[in-house]
Amino acid sequence: MRLVRLYIRVLGQLGSDMRVGALLALANVGLAISAFAEPILFGRIIDVLTRGQVPGTPPVTFGALTPLILAWVAFGLFSIGAGALVALHADRLAHRRRLAVMANYFEHVLELPLAFHTSTHSGRVLKVMLEGSGAMSWLWLGFFREHFAALIALVILLPLTVFLNWRLGLLLVALMVIFSVLTAFVLRKTEKLQGSVERYHSSLAEHASDALGNVPVIQSFTRVEAETRSLGIIIQQLLQAQNPVLSWWALASVASRASATITVTAIFLLGTWLHLNGLATIGEIVMFMSMATMLIARLEQAVSFVNQLFMQGPKLQEFFEILDTAPAVHDRPNARHVERYKGEVAFDNVSFSYDGKRSAVQDVSFIVNAGENVALVGATGSGKSTTLGLLHRAFDPQSGAIRVDGLDIRDVTLASLRRNIGVVFQEPMLFARTIRENLQVGRPDATDAEMIEALERAQAIEFINRQAEGLDTIVGERGRSLSGGERQRLSIARALLKNPPILILDEATSALDAATERKLQMALDEVMKGRTTFVIAHRLATIRNANRILVFDHGRVIESGTFEELVARGGRFAELAKAQFMASDEPPAKRVRVSAHA
């Protein structure tokens, strides 16, 4: 029943092509009826011819056979024409829907919360997308080309053979039922085994993707043999799990071929005995033997379908599990579109927990005026990044509210909110595309002149000019062809090109050398004018000019003030400043001032 529900859901993914699918299903009904009509008409023709051979009966004329022959030929031509049309449109539908489902899955995954991507390997997500959409394509294609017609023939038309000759009909039905029971037995035996097979397939994809994404580390630590050996172990486990499944289905395949011989032989022997006893005509024997051959072919198609559905079931299950994962953040009904914010940000008793047990942010409240530069400092895990993640709705708080220009950000469309916020992450996160395409992530309609200006302001134009292809240089996977500092400067240029009223810098200068950092800091100071800016920093020298500093500890804001005020207060921030700046016995405020201007 689980597979049946899964199959019905796959058919439900036809979406806008449902009407085409319904027409193809009707055509399949016609093909199934035609396939049954041909042996029946042929059997009737044989009976008419054999009656003409009986002594004392008038000879059979061609005119008497003409209606039967014409009907027989008409059904045959219908089968050929309808079969060709069904095959053509089924192929097109399957490929069209496969790409549509893949696109929907891709969009859905991109909208899922960061918590999902943190806990789910990207290799597995990609594998599920490719294999799940491929499995659906195969099922749609098979359903409309063969399986639905086979289902109609076996479930509806097969029982009707009893009305043609109940003795031969019952034998045919009994043989089909026995074979179906054997197939169901094999299915039950292998269902759980196939689930473990798919888990090993996922492990294989995750391991391979993980290794390919860390080739420099593998080569540097001479891990090639170890990684290959680990992959080999997973492959061996996969084969050990797969072989019993293959053995059972090989048995089902042998039984399928044996059933053809057994069924045809049984029909012939029983038909001969019935004919000798005047209970069946020669035409009926020929009819049922033709039907038996046709039904065995349909049954083999059905078994092949069940086998493939069974094999693809775990892949489809994984696909729908991810598809059913609801995005934690979404637009509310009638959410407002905001073209451009002024930039006033207010947190009002905001609390958030990742697991519902320990608070990552607890009762955080502060107001930032438009154009202010606010720094967030604190130990790792104190809640700084989570707080700013809440601002651009990477997730929503469990309690409290965040407002920009007086509007709750949950009442604003996600797209317009995020268009107004630029983020420079600690890890640059570049695409394996050209420099131009990476910059256009910030603003797709940006001109080359605007890109060059953003690169100059981010102190990145020098290394761009060194590239032979300039803006059309491909930076490699995750920007690996660039140094760490170059990647970060390109990431900053991308945010500057976006020109948002609110800017978040998450350790944006951490990957830069001291000389470049000083240059970039001057550029950022200029860029931050008139723009609400949040800076997460561990090096306190980078935030000495902040209008305000918020000190976080265990998800709470425990101190707030300017650099000088917090040092004079002698609290947690002063302790952090002392650890980073103080190397003499001068008074604290003086020591920090000296260091700040060093």
Side-chain angles (χ1 to χ4, degrees):
M1 288 303 296
R2 183 180 65 84
L3 287 178
V4 172
R5 288 194 297 269
L6 197 62
Y7 190 41
I8 292 172
R9 185 162 186 190
V10 169
L11 293 178
Q13 291 293 311
L14 287 172
S16 59
D17 283 302
M18 193 68 75
R19 180 177 297 179
V20 176
L23 292 174
L24 289 174
L26 287 174
N28 271 268
V29 173
L31 284 170
I33 293 172
S34 176
F36 254 81
E38 288 183 61
I40 293 174
L41 289 168
F42 186 65
R44 294 287 182 258
I45 292 171
I46 295 295
D47 279 339
V48 172
L49 290 173
T50 54
R51 279 199 296 271
Q53 303 300 315
V54 177
T57 59
V60 178
T61 63
F62 189 78
L65 290 172
T66 298
L68 291 173
I69 292 173
L70 288 177
W72 183 48
V73 171
F75 276 111
L77 293 175
F78 172 80
S79 295
I80 295 171
L85 288 173
V86 165
L88 175 63
H89 289 286
D91 276 5
R92 291 179 177 178
L93 180 145
H95 286 290
R96 186 166 61 247
R97 291 311 306 168
R98 178 179 67 86
L99 295 175
V101 164
M102 192 183 297
N104 291 338
Y105 173 95
F106 182 73
E107 182 182 7
H108 173 76
V109 167
L110 292 181
E111 291 177 344
L112 289 179
L114 294 178
F116 169 84
H117 293 283
T118 302
S119 61
T120 308
H121 198 286
S122 59
R124 174 176 176 262
V125 174
L126 179 61
K127 165 192 168 291
V128 169
M129 179 179 76
L130 297 176
E131 292 189 348
S133 59
M136 286 192 203
S137 176
W138 182 90
L139 288 175
W140 290 321
L141 187 61
F143 179 81
F144 292 118
R145 291 183 65 171
E146 297 174 347
H147 303 146
F148 188 59
L151 186 67
I152 294 295
L154 293 172
V155 176
I156 298 176
L157 299 179
L158 174 59
L160 297 180
T161 59
V162 175
F163 295 100
L164 300 174
N165 184 305
W166 69 268
R167 296 174 181 86
L168 290 172
L170 284 177
L171 175 62
L172 199 55
V173 171
L175 290 170
M176 295 298 116
V177 168
I178 291 171
F179 186 69
S180 299
V181 169
L182 289 174
T183 303
F185 174 76
V186 171
L187 188 65
R188 290 182 64 84
K189 279 288 185 182
T190 53
E191 185 172 6
K192 289 184 179 179
L193 293 173
Q194 187 60 30
S196 64
V197 169
E198 200 53 40
R199 285 192 292 273
Y200 284 122
H201 274 296
S202 293
S203 297
L204 187 66
E206 290 177 7
H207 186 90
S209 175
D210 207 30
L212 292 173
N214 292 282
V215 170
V217 176
I218 291 172
Q219 293 179 348
S220 174
F221 286 85
T222 62
R223 291 281 305 172
V224 174
E225 290 185 10
E227 291 297 320
T228 304
R229 188 165 53 251
S230 297
L231 189 70
I233 292 172
I234 297 174
I235 291 173
Q236 190 61 37
Q237 292 171 332
L238 172 60
L239 289 174
Q240 289 175 353
Q242 184 75 78
N243 285 335
V245 177
L246 297 176
S247 297
W248 277 106
W249 282 105
L251 179 62
S253 178
V254 170
S256 173
R257 288 192 291 270
S259 68
T261 302
I262 293 171
T263 301
V264 171
T265 302
I267 290 292
F268 177 75
L269 292 176
L270 179 60
T272 301
W273 184 84
L274 291 173
H275 177 68
L276 294 175
N277 288 276
L279 299 174
T281 65
I282 293 176
E284 287 176 336
I285 296 173
V286 172
M287 177 199 312
F288 272 89
M289 289 188 67
S290 297
M291 282 186 178
T293 303
M294 182 266 292
L295 287 171
I296 286 298
R298 292 297 193 187
L299 197 55
E300 287 179 343
Q301 290 174 355
V303 171
S304 173
F305 157 68
V306 172
N307 182 14
Q308 288 299 318
L309 176 59
F310 173 73
M311 294 292 187
Q312 305 295 343
K315 298 175 185 177
L316 294 169
Q317 193 72 33
E318 277 192 304
F319 185 93
F320 286 122
E321 282 176 2
I322 291 179
L323 205 61
D324 290 339
T325 302
V329 177
H330 50 80
D331 285 340
R332 285 178 172 176
N334 303 316
R336 294 180 56 178
H337 175 81
V338 176
E339 190 62 35
R340 187 171 179 86
Y341 281 121
K342 293 178 181 177
E344 181 187 281
V345 177
F347 275 63
D348 183 10
N349 290 316
V350 172
S351 295
F352 173 77
S353 172
Y354 288 100
D355 56 11
K357 299 176 183 177
R358 188 178 68 87
S359 293
V361 173
Q362 188 171 359
D363 297 326
V364 170
S365 296
F366 59 83
I367 296 176
V368 177
N369 296 322
E372 275 194 311
N373 174 9
V374 176
L376 284 70
V377 301
T380 300
S382 60
K384 307 181 298 298
S385 294
T386 301
T387 298
L388 296 186
L390 290 166
L391 176 58
H392 61 88
R393 292 195 72 190
F395 20 75
D396 281 335
Q398 277 91 25
S399 62
I402 303 170
R403 297 181 179 86
V404 178
D405 293 350
L407 291 174
D408 191 321
I409 59 174
R410 289 169 294 191
D411 294 327
V412 176
T413 63
L414 268 171
S416 64
L417 172 70
R418 290 173 178 172
R419 269 197 295 269
N420 277 277
I421 299 175
V423 183
V424 179
F425 299 96
Q426 185 173 6
E427 184 180 343
M429 299 183 186
L430 299 179
F431 296 95
R433 303 169 190 173
T434 65
I435 291 172
R436 184 192 309 279
E437 288 173 305
N438 273 285
L439 290 172
Q440 286 175 331
V441 169
R443 200 166 94 229
D445 59 349
T447 64
D448 283 7
E450 290 170 326
M451 293 183 203
I452 296 298
E453 182 187 358
L455 290 167
E456 288 176 344
R457 294 169 74 184
Q459 304 293 314
I461 193 63
E462 181 183 350
F463 80 81
I464 299 297
N465 289 335
R466 292 200 304 266
Q467 306 296 326
E469 302 295 328
L471 291 174
D472 295 316
T473 301
I474 296 176
V475 300
E477 186 177 1
R478 299 179 185 175
R480 283 179 181 168
S481 67
L482 305 177
S483 70
E486 290 170 344
R487 289 197 296 269
Q488 191 63 290
R489 279 179 277 172
L490 186 55
S491 173
I492 291 169
R494 180 173 62 188
L496 297 180
L497 189 64
K498 186 179 180 181
N499 190 29
I502 300 172
L503 183 66
I504 296 173
L505 304 175
D506 188 349
E507 284 288 328
T509 61
S510 62
L512 306 180
D513 58 82
T516 304
E517 182 181 358
R518 282 195 296 272
K519 293 179 183 179
L520 186 58
Q521 195 64 50
M522 293 172 61
L524 289 177
D525 288 344
E526 181 65 27
V527 169
M528 289 187 290
K529 289 180 180 178
R531 193 189 313 273
T532 305
T533 307
F534 294 90
V535 181
I536 296 177
H538 287 102
R539 285 188 288 187
L540 302 185
T542 63
I543 57 168
R544 59 183 177 269
N545 294 325
N547 299 119
R548 193 170 5 142
I549 297 171
L550 303 177
V551 183
F552 278 75
D553 183 51
H554 292 91
R556 294 177 179 272
V557 177
I558 59 172
E559 291 180 351
S560 175
T562 64
F563 195 100
E564 300 289 345
E565 289 171 351
L566 292 175
V567 168
R569 194 175 299 169
R572 181 65 58 83
F573 183 82
E575 293 176 4
L576 293 173
K578 181 179 181 180
Q580 289 194 26
F581 294 123
M582 297 181 183
S584 68
D585 296 328
E586 298 177 29
K590 184 177 181 180
R591 285 196 298 265
V592 174
R593 282 196 297 272
V594 170
S595 178
H597 294 286

